[in-house]
Amino acid sequence: MAVQQVFPLSCAVQHYAWGKMGSNSEVARLLASSDPQARISEDKPYAELWMGSHPRGDAKILDNRISQKTLGQWIAENQDCLGSKVKDTFNGKLPFLFKVLSVETALSIQAHPNKELAEKLHLQAPQHYPDANHKPEMAIALTSFQGLCGFRPIEEIVTFLTKVPEFRFLIGDTAATQLKQSMNSDSQSVASALQSCFSHLMKSEKKVVVEQLNLLVKRISQQDCVECMACSDNTVRAGLTPKFIDVPTLCEMLSYIPSKDRLFLPTRSLEDPYLSIYDPPVPDFTVMRMEVPGSITEYKVLAVDSASIVLVVQGRVTASSPTAQTPIPLQRGGVLFIGANESVSLKLTAPDDLLMFRACCLL
């Protein structure tokens, strides 16, 4: 009998403090929709849904006919399911972690090293860099989101340093002057000046950051501070909720991207808040958005030479495949694993439109 290559998953939830609380979180709502027995705690943050085989959140297999209990265990014994190129390139491991994020407050700033640097950092300080893999990411919005990636034009940063004294205090006069003088210099001088500004901000003591944020909040609440409007919403929010005051609040004056429907974060860059469903791709990694009108009763998920994970965001279907012994019912929040070179037939069981996302690795 052929090994079953298609099966449903129960996926891990991460309760990071920055996540939305209880049923306000899309992560919690997806969980509750997919599992009627799930109990959502309204006083607990539901930050991330992890769909994959990560050791800290290995998805459970929801089919008692399969002897392995988790996706990671099953892949270890069925590596051909990854696809021949993926198996060889990534040493028999699933090379992506598919997530849903539901973000209430700013995440901490994160560095995204490339593969070479990640391996070096992992060897030097495994307690801080437990993973030797690189971390490129792609954010795809389920709702509008704002993100920080890279740096603003130098002219804008210099304007903030001139007109926002609290920001300049944390950067320091020397670094601020260096950045202003670099405006007419070569790219290396600009990069060096930016590094100095960013380092000063990131190394600021939390007590000092809180003091300056409180001063900024008080000042912009008492006057029409036009030059601060780009950052005032997050700053005021942070000032009113000291628990979440952090350096990222001020990083909006260094880095800002308005609402987008998608955002790519390459390695060796910095990132901050986004509300998204995401997978970490370089060009070989793919997230497919699949929309099927409710008037269409059947839809086929085509085979690719890669393992896939599919998330149902809207609609109801039953999934069938050549190796699945019985049809698999899926509804909003349902997650399906599909082995490489395996096609899946979906039959819509409700008149609602169907919306799904599929993550895979196309080498």
Side-chain angles (χ1 to χ4, degrees):
M1 181 181 294
V3 175
Q4 184 169 339
Q5 298 264 345
V6 177
F7 43 81
L9 299 173
S10 174
C11 299
V13 172
Q14 305 295 346
H15 301 280
Y16 302 133
W18 47 259
K20 289 192 174 183
M21 303 295 288
S23 55
N24 287 324
S25 166
E26 178 69 0
V27 170
R29 293 194 291 264
L30 288 170
L31 178 65
S33 296
S34 64
D35 181 5
Q37 296 183 344
R39 294 292 178 264
I40 304 303
S41 299
E42 295 299 332
D43 59 350
K44 180 183 290 187
Y46 290 76
E48 297 188 2
L49 178 67
W50 285 19
M51 297 168 282
S53 57
H54 194 286
R56 287 176 46 207
D58 198 358
K60 296 179 181 179
I61 297 174
L62 295 178
D63 191 324
N64 55 20
R65 293 167 298 192
I66 297 175
S67 59
Q68 297 85 4
K69 300 302 181 184
T70 70
L71 181 60
Q73 293 171 358
W74 186 87
I75 289 175
E77 298 183 25
N78 298 275
Q79 293 185 11
D80 289 342
C81 77
L82 297 171
S84 57
K85 292 182 180 179
V86 175
K87 173 186 173 183
D88 294 340
T89 302
F90 297 99
N91 301 314
K93 306 284 188 181
L94 185 69
F96 61 85
L97 180 58
F98 196 27
K99 297 183 182 180
V100 176
L101 275 67
S102 190
V103 180
E104 179 67 25
T105 62
L107 283 68
S108 297
I109 296 294
Q110 299 177 19
H112 287 248
N114 59 23
K115 178 65 173 175
E116 181 182 357
L117 182 58
E119 291 175 345
K120 180 180 178 180
L121 293 171
H122 176 66
L123 288 174
Q124 291 178 345
Q127 70 277 21
H128 298 303
Y129 301 93
D131 193 336
N133 290 311
H134 56 319
K135 294 291 184 295
E137 296 186 353
M138 174 70 79
I140 302 175
L142 291 179
T143 66
S144 62
F145 75 100
Q146 295 177 331
L148 307 186
C149 180
F151 291 96
R152 288 177 179 270
I154 301 302
E155 294 78 10
E156 291 186 15
I157 300 175
V158 169
T159 298
F160 281 123
L161 287 169
T162 302
K163 296 186 176 182
V164 186
E166 300 84 1
F167 180 49
R168 188 182 182 93
F169 182 90
L170 293 172
I171 296 294
D173 287 338
T174 300
T177 300
Q178 180 187 358
L179 184 65
K180 185 175 181 178
Q181 292 174 346
S182 75
M183 291 173 63
N184 298 318
S185 303
D186 56 54
S187 59
Q188 185 58 45
S189 297
V190 173
S192 177
L194 276 173
Q195 182 179 28
S196 180
C197 288
F198 189 75
S199 295
H200 278 82
L201 181 58
M202 292 300 293
K203 292 178 180 179
S204 298
E205 294 183 12
K206 185 170 183 177
K207 178 182 178 181
V208 178
V209 173
V210 171
E211 289 173 352
Q212 293 302 312
L213 276 173
N214 285 335
L215 288 173
L216 177 57
V217 170
K218 181 178 180 180
R219 184 166 64 83
I220 65 176
S221 65
Q222 294 175 347
Q223 66 185 70
D224 184 15
C225 185
V226 176
E227 66 271 15
C228 295
M229 292 312 293
C231 61
S232 61
D233 288 345
N234 277 346
T235 303
V236 171
R237 181 189 64 200
L240 294 176
T241 54
K243 176 182 177 182
F244 295 109
I245 287 180
D246 200 356
V247 171
T249 304
L250 288 165
C251 278
E252 284 198 29
M253 283 179 268
L254 285 174
S255 171
Y256 182 71
I257 292 179
S259 297
K260 299 280 186 180
D261 60 353
R262 64 185 64 87
L263 172 65
F264 176 63
L265 297 127
T267 54
R268 297 191 73 108
S269 72
L270 297 165
E271 57 112 358
D272 201 1
Y274 46 73
L275 175 60
S276 67
I277 172 174
Y278 98 111
D279 171 70
V282 285
D284 299 324
F285 289 81
T286 302
V287 178
M288 305 175 189
R289 180 186 178 107
M290 299 181 289
E291 294 182 86
V292 183
S295 57
I296 296 177
T297 59
E298 294 187 5
Y299 179 81
K300 189 168 187 177
V301 180
L302 299 178
V304 295
D305 190 25
S306 166
S308 301
I309 293 179
V310 174
L311 169 68
V312 179
V313 175
Q314 179 180 310
R316 291 173 178 265
V317 297
T318 56
S320 303
S321 78
T323 63
Q325 297 181 31
T326 58
I328 301 167
L330 293 169
Q331 58 190 23
R332 173 172 154 79
V335 180
L336 188 70
F337 177 84
I338 305 174
N341 304 303
E342 188 84 358
S343 62
V344 174
S345 297
L346 301 179
K347 187 173 183 178
L348 279 68
T349 57
D352 304 323
D353 293 347
L354 180 64
L355 174 61
M356 303 178 296
F357 289 87
R358 178 188 190 181
C360 57
C361 179
L362 303 178
L363 297 180

